[in-house]
Amino acid sequence: MPASTMSDPAAVRHSPLAELLWPRREDRSFRALRGAILMALGTALLTLSAKVNLPLPYVPMTLQTLVVLMIGAAYGWRLGSATVIAYLAEGAIGLPVFAGPVGGLAPLVGPTAGYLYGFVLAAFATGWLSQRGWDRSVLWLFVAMGIGHVLILGTGFAWLAFGMKLGADKAWLVGIVPFIAASLVKNALGATLVPALRRLFAPRA
Ligand SMILES: O=C(O)CCCC[C@@H]1SC[C@@H]2NC(=O)N[C@@H]21
């Protein structure tokens, strides 16, 4: 377990990647502008990742989980989860940001709604663990992102099984099984990229 998680009081000051690349300042208007720009960048990347998809019955294969988990790790829990909430809000007001062709409220109550809400939990959890030093190591970030993936797939499964009334067996078949292998690959990619970028841009942080 990263030492900072256990006892080091500096853990709470561990900076996520985005802060290393673009440090925060005390100035309130700068902080607001910085937050808005990072959120806009994050929601744009999420939209792009939704559009790279492979249609499957009920739930498409997309790159969204990779981007959600990288946003959590790179932005930290607060800005990371705020970015995902902003993404859902963009969809709710009708922008076509999700995997399907339309935005609006339908996707937020449709078959993939559970995954979409799970994105918020995953960005929060991955960001929280990253800010405790788990983003320094490929192995620990793999675990943190794995927890994120379990939250996304778990909420997606629960919604399909009970919200959409598919039942647990069918929800498992259409909502989990097709995504296990790709989730492991995305997890490994995200967990490799973030520490590598940290080392590249801030070798001593
Ligand atoms: O409608 C959307 O935009 C959400 C699509 C959710 C797809 C889920 S996320 C977890 C799992 N992994 C994938 O590649 N697809 C599903």
Side-chain angles (χ1 to χ4, degrees), residues 36-124:
I37 290 173
L38 288 175
M39 281 168 72
L41 176 67
T43 60
L45 288 173
L46 278 167
T47 303
L48 206 62
S49 69
K51 300 304 176 190
V52 181
N53 70 48
L54 177 69
L56 295 172
Y58 291 97
V59 184
M61 179 101 68
T62 76
L63 286 182
Q64 282 155 303
T65 59
L66 173 64
V67 175
V68 164
L69 298 172
M70 286 191 68
I71 285 175
Y75 285 10
W77 69 267
R78 196 189 299 263
L79 187 57
S81 48
T83 299
V84 178
I85 290 169
Y87 172 65
L88 300 190
E90 287 176 3
I93 62 171
L95 299 179
V97 294
F98 300 136
V102 293
L105 293 179
L108 292 167
V109 294
T112 61
Y115 303 99
L116 291 170
Y117 299 117
F119 290 169
V120 181
L121 302 179
F124 182 99

Side-chain angles (χ1 to χ4, degrees), residues 122-194:
F124 182 99
T126 308
W128 192 87
L129 292 169
S130 293
Q131 286 184 277
R132 273 140 192 87
W134 291 41
D135 61 343
R136 285 198 182 102
S137 129
V138 173
L139 186 65
W140 282 106
L141 192 55
F142 187 88
V143 175
M145 290 185 164
I147 292 170
H149 258 120
V150 168
L151 289 168
I152 293 169
L153 292 172
T155 51
F157 167 80
W159 176 252
L160 280 170
F162 308 111
M164 301 302 292
K165 302 197 182 350
L166 291 190
D169 289 350
K170 185 152 189 199
W172 178 261
L173 272 182
V174 300
I176 301 285
V177 173
F179 307 113
I180 294 174
S183 297
L184 287 169
V185 173
K186 286 182 267 184
N187 220 61
L189 193 59
T192 307
L193 274 174
V194 172

